[in-house]
Amino acid sequence: MTYVDGFVVAVPTANKETYRKYAKEAATVFKDHGALSLVECWGDDVPEGKINSMHTAVLRKPDETVVFSWITWPDKATRDAGMQKVFADPRMAAPMQAMPFDGTRMIFGGFEMIVNA
């Protein structure tokens, strides 16, 4: 069954192009290790909630934009093995050291797909 890793992060708005390049390079590595796809979405219409929102979840600062992304995998076993390979891949060493956002404020999780309409 298809497995999805989902992410929400705050990226400095000025780093949009840098982030796009970073994500495109990472996508190649993830796909080389079994991912079916990687999707990155730059926030355009992300309302701030009264109690909680994507903004508060990632502690977004005024000069940042919320980014929502996901990686699809054929199944959880492929994802588990692929993630280990991704983080061991030498192509990820430099990008992990120079992420164009604060990774400590990223929220993420793995999800079993139950509807794909």
Side-chain angles (χ1 to χ4, degrees):
M1 181 166 289
T2 303
Y3 200 80
V4 177
D5 281 310
F7 309 88
V8 181
V9 66
V11 177
T13 303
N15 285 356
K16 182 177 182 180
E17 184 57 23
T18 301
Y19 183 83
R20 190 192 66 73
K21 288 178 183 176
Y22 169 87
K24 192 170 181 179
E25 290 171 10
T28 299
V29 177
F30 278 96
K31 290 175 87 175
D32 284 351
H33 295 299
L36 300 173
S37 67
L38 186 144
V39 177
E40 297 282 347
C41 304
W42 192 260
D44 180 65
D45 184 13
V46 184
E48 293 193 45
K50 293 183 189 238
I51 296 173
N52 199 3
S53 67
M54 289 182 167
H55 298 270
T56 56
V58 295
L59 305 173
R60 185 190 63 83
K61 297 175 184 174
D63 64 339
E64 295 177 325
T65 299
V66 173
V67 173
F68 173 59
S69 59
W70 64 91
I71 303 169
T72 59
W73 303 88
D75 51 54
K76 188 172 188 306
T78 303
R79 177 267 203 163
D80 291 347
M83 280 295 213
Q84 287 183 343
K85 292 174 184 174
V86 165
F87 290 107
D89 192 307
R91 294 175 292 174
M92 290 300 285
M96 292 300 286
Q97 298 299 319
M99 293 189 299
F101 61 92
D102 179 359
T104 65
R105 293 184 285 139
M106 176 190 296
I107 60 172
F108 57 90
F111 302 86
E112 179 182 314
M113 188 180 295
I114 61 170
V115 174
N116 184 8

